Amino acid sequence: MSPHAAAVLSGLGAWLPPRVVDNFELSETLDTSDEWIRARTGIAERHVAEPGKSTVDMAVEAGRRALASAGAADVDFVLLATSTPDQPCPGSAPQVATALGLNGTAALDVNAVCSGFVYALATGAGLIAAGVASTVLVIGSDTFTTLVDPTDRGTVPIFGDGAGAVVLRAGHADEPGALGPFDLHSEGELAELLWVEAGGAKHRVSADKSDYFLAMQGTAVFRHACARMAESSRAVLAKAGWTVSDVDRFVGHQANVRILQAVAKTLGLPVDAVVSNIEKTGNTSAASIPLALADAVTGGSLVAGHRVLLSAFGAGLTWGSAVLRWPDVTPGA
Ligand code: COA
């Protein structure tokens, strides 16, 4: 492994739990409707993990498929992007590594919520560039349906569960699949726009059950997501020396189809460059970008050679973007 090697995407995997909950089913227990949810978010249905199935279980499924896709045997680092680990402590990545037959391998959680996958890609690329690792399995897995208050119509319709993964290997910056540059940011003073009040070190136990669920100021989050993803996309394109017309596919975090459309409009990207699978998945947080990539490859709308812009936004606040030329990689079975 050479120092300062580029990280090259060489495998892709996706996993959605089998249970599908559509908007009609939600409207049986919540004061909402299929019409409202579709119009405001673009979501028709989402996958929900069965009770007892967890972030680790889904991460293992996606990770196994990504390893099969890459034909990779020797992974020397596992990164798990998640903000819904199976336990508050320890991180879940070591359990994922062991379940994949990678016991003994370095394993670390990355918690940047819905930006987690882009942050974990950057972390993996950094580990490869520094010579710390030569093959990194990067998984995004989240079980957000466990984090939303089942009585809150403001959050329940938006989120779903799932996992997606990629394999990064050391390679050359001019190869298809070489990742980067990246553009990453955070703004902690706005953390309360989207957070869980209790269960952490500051407020371990609360008498109010709602403190354990996600509280979201939706309209403010919407506004920040549109502005920050557009800003960051422009920044990463400038770093890469690409113009907007160089972008064949825009794979943004799937939070709301209106956010994706607004970002594309601000950037001047054509509608058919926007990749979206949110109608069938909802917002799967750290899993959303690899799930969207896998869906687009399977559907034939993302093919080898396409120049891809990735951009994400999430709680924290966090946001970031990256570019790559899509390699000849298809999701593993
Ligand atoms: N069903 C029906 N009506 C609902 C509803 C639901 N599920 N949720 C809210 N409403 C109502 C509101 O009460 C409000 O009614 P009012 O006009 O009588 O007061 C109306 O719909 C509009 O609500 P508002 O919150 O202003 O809607 P919106 O257009 O901002 O859409 C979100 C709400 C949550 C879909 C939107 O703000 C959003 O997507 N925000 C970003 C969330 C996100 O992406 N979070 C994760 C970031 S990684």
Side-chain angles (χ1 to χ4, degrees), residues 30-43:
L30 286 172
D31 180 15
T32 190
S33 64
D34 176 59
E35 191 188 6
W36 191 96
I37 301 169
R38 276 182 193 265
R40 298 294 176 125
T41 70
I43 299 165

Side-chain angles (χ1 to χ4, degrees), residues 32 36 40-41 114 153 216 218-219 222 253 255-256 283 313:
T32 190
W36 191 96
R40 298 294 176 125
T41 70
C114 297
R153 71 173 183 172
M216 180 175 82
T219 309
F222 189 100
H253 167 51
N256 184 321
N283 179 346
F313 175 86

Side-chain angles (χ1 to χ4, degrees), residues 248-249 272-276 292-293 295-304 306:
D248 297 306
R249 293 293 176 262
D272 59 9
V274 178
V275 167
S276 182
L293 288 169
D295 188 64
V297 172
T298 303
S301 61
L302 174 59
V303 297
H306 271 156

